[in-house]
């Protein structure tokens, strides 16, 4: 397995910081994806394929028995991998704020998987987390909501790891 990282051009500094950690696993540095019109679409890099990544691929993906397609899953032991830095990267990639609390976009996971994530966040960080239905997704999905009650604690935990290009996502007092 290999890993591809891609962000919009505005998040170049974030992608460069990730590349720093994976540089020894890459054949080329990050590059721009430029549309035929000349407009920069994104900034990206990918790693070599390597067996070292197989463990993580097997934890976070299953092969659907009906379709044969890879499907993202939440590992049963996700709570073991959650720490402040992991939470910050998750938030930078898939999070936002709604003015009073934080949203983690988990629409690609089942209700049970969202319950597992909410439980892990509650136990690991003592956050109050609700699961919201998202009918705006391609199909009905769910997302996690870190409530206003836990907002300041969430901000305090992730802010040391947030790349400056994502400061707009943080709710600051």
């Amino acid at each position: 397995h290999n890993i591809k990282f891609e962000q919009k051009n505005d998040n170049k500094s974030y992608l460069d910081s990730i590349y720093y950690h994976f540089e020894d696993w890459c054949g080329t540095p990050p590059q721009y994806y430029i549309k035929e019109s000349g407009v920069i679409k994104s900034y990206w890099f990918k790693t070599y394929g390597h067996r070292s990544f197989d463990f993580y691929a097997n934890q976070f993906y299953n092969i659907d028995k009906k379709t044969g397609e890879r499907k993202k899953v939440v590992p049963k032991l996700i709570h073991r991998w959650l720490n402040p830095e992991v939470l910050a990267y998750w938030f930078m990639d898939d999070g936002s704020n709604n003015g009073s609390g934080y949203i983690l976009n988990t629409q690609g996971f089942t209700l049970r998987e969202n319950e597992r994530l909410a439980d892990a966040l509650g136990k690991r960080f003592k956050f109050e987390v609700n699961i919201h239905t998202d009918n705006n997704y391609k199909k009905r999905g769910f997302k996690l909501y870190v409530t206003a009650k836990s907002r300041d604690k969430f901000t305090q935990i992730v802010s040391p790891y947030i790349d400056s290009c994502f400061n707009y996502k943080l709710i600051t007092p």
Side-chain angles (χ1 to χ4, degrees):
H1 289 91
N2 69 335
I3 306 171
K4 182 178 182 184
F5 297 90
E6 188 168 12
Q7 289 282 322
K8 66 181 183 175
N9 187 44
D10 293 348
N11 301 337
K12 181 183 180 299
S13 63
Y14 171 64
L15 195 99
D16 285 338
S17 72
I18 294 172
Y19 176 72
Y20 172 79
H21 295 289
F22 285 91
E23 185 173 8
D24 292 342
W25 298 88
C26 300
T28 57
Q31 52 195 309
Y32 294 101
Y33 173 66
I34 302 172
K35 294 181 179 182
E36 287 182 22
S37 64
V39 174
I40 296 174
K41 180 183 177 203
S42 61
Y43 188 64
W44 68 278
F45 73 91
K46 68 179 180 177
T47 66
Y48 298 121
H50 197 277
R51 286 185 167 177
S52 297
F53 298 126
D54 291 355
F55 171 79
Y56 297 101
N58 292 332
Q59 297 300 307
F60 289 90
Y61 290 92
N62 282 342
I63 302 297
D64 185 294
K65 292 177 184 175
K66 294 179 184 175
T67 65
E69 294 178 10
R70 272 185 357 156
K71 181 179 181 238
K72 277 197 259 185
V73 296
V74 176
K76 287 185 171 87
L77 301 177
I78 188 68
H79 62 280
R80 291 186 180 179
W81 289 314
L82 289 178
N83 64 46
E85 188 173 10
V86 167
L87 181 60
Y89 277 90
W90 179 12
F91 176 67
M92 286 186 283
D93 283 339
D94 289 321
S96 61
N97 80 66
N98 71 351
S100 60
Y102 290 106
I103 294 168
L104 293 168
N105 292 294
T106 54
Q107 293 91 332
F109 300 116
T110 65
L111 177 58
R112 177 172 278 192
E113 290 172 310
N114 273 275
E115 289 168 344
R116 182 178 299 142
L117 287 167
D119 184 59
L121 289 168
K123 286 180 179 172
R124 174 66 177 91
F125 300 107
K126 308 294 187 243
F127 293 151
E128 183 177 280
V129 181
N130 295 326
I131 299 170
H132 289 190
T133 302
D134 184 2
N135 292 320
N136 294 328
Y137 194 60
K138 297 172 190 169
K139 56 182 181 180
R140 183 173 171 228
F142 306 95
K143 57 188 174 183
L144 301 180
Y145 174 63
V146 178
T147 67
K149 183 178 176 183
S150 297
R151 175 189 65 212
D152 293 343
K153 188 175 199 176
F154 183 95
T155 304
Q156 180 183 8
I157 288 171
V158 301
S159 61
Y161 305 100
I162 299 293
D163 188 277
S164 61
C165 69
F166 290 111
N167 282 341
Y168 72 93
K169 289 186 174 193
L170 295 174
I171 302 169
T172 53

